[in-house]
Amino acid sequence: MSSSSSRSLINRAVPFITARIRRNNRILITRFSSSSSTQPLSEPQSSESIHMTDSFVRRMKELQVDEDKEKMLRLSIEAGGCSGFQYNFALDDKTNSDDRIFERDGVKLVVDNISYDFVKGSTVDYVEELIRSAFQVASNPSAVGGCSCKSSFMVG
């Protein structure tokens, strides 16, 4: 077999293999999300809103106790991370004109308009593990893959 026919075979196989990997990744993400122990918002979930788990709300209320001013959690998306985009969480006490505000039990999550396009329909959680505790996006319908620590993701 010549090297040009080997390259031709590889060039034809790459799209098929890539499509299979993406399909398998979506299946794994769907199965993981449906078996996840996170408790999403009890009201009907909309694909346009961002959902906050009980653990998220509880932790935000704990953080509010020590603050003079009401703090909100700001979720933004930045380029970078091991998968292309990364989630960035920060406590904030003010909003901007292009922000979307999501509220549950008096706790507010703020997302700017550009970041919102990447996270609409997502579930935000607070997770405590042996080696770390952190806010994280537990599921994101816009992501086709991501890193194992759930701090970055890629879009399709």
Side-chain angles (χ1 to χ4, degrees):
M1 187 180 250
S2 72
S3 66
S4 65
S5 64
S6 295
R7 282 192 197 117
S8 174
L9 178 61
I10 291 170
N11 288 339
R12 289 186 311 206
V14 166
F16 173 76
I17 293 168
T18 304
R20 293 291 288 187
I21 290 170
R22 283 192 176 135
R23 180 179 170 271
N24 289 341
N25 195 22
R26 284 188 193 113
I27 290 170
L28 287 173
I29 289 170
T30 302
R31 286 188 182 159
F32 177 75
S33 296
S34 65
S35 67
S36 178
S37 63
T38 60
Q39 298 287 327
L41 193 58
S42 57
E43 63 191 45
Q45 293 188 359
S46 161
S47 63
E48 295 298 309
S49 83
I50 296 177
H51 314 286
M52 295 169 265
T53 65
D54 292 339
S55 179
F56 171 90
V57 171
R58 191 171 31 257
R59 181 61 179 142
M60 282 300 295
K61 285 184 176 186
E62 290 170 0
L63 292 172
Q64 295 284 12
V65 171
D66 298 332
E67 297 294 325
D68 296 336
K69 213 174 192 187
E70 179 184 291
K71 295 283 186 178
M72 301 167 279
L73 190 69
R74 179 172 293 281
L75 168 58
S76 59
I77 304 302
E78 298 175 351
C82 50
S83 298
F85 294 98
Q86 62 186 0
Y87 302 109
N88 185 31
F89 291 98
L91 289 175
D92 202 344
D93 57 0
K94 56 186 176 288
T95 59
N96 302 316
S97 61
D98 71 332
D99 285 340
R100 292 181 186 233
I101 302 170
F102 302 91
E103 186 172 351
R104 177 179 171 202
D105 297 335
V107 170
K108 294 179 182 176
L109 177 71
V110 181
V111 183
D112 66 85
N113 232 4
I114 294 171
S115 298
Y116 173 73
D117 288 335
F118 289 98
V119 296
K120 61 184 167 189
S122 294
T123 299
V124 180
D125 195 10
Y126 179 75
V127 178
E128 293 183 76
E129 300 169 343
L130 287 175
I131 59 171
R132 74 178 187 138
S133 58
F135 290 105
Q136 69 181 25
V137 175
S139 66
N140 181 349
S142 299
V144 296
C147 65
S148 62
C149 65
K150 294 192 175 190
S151 63
S152 68
F153 66 103
M154 65 182 118
V155 292

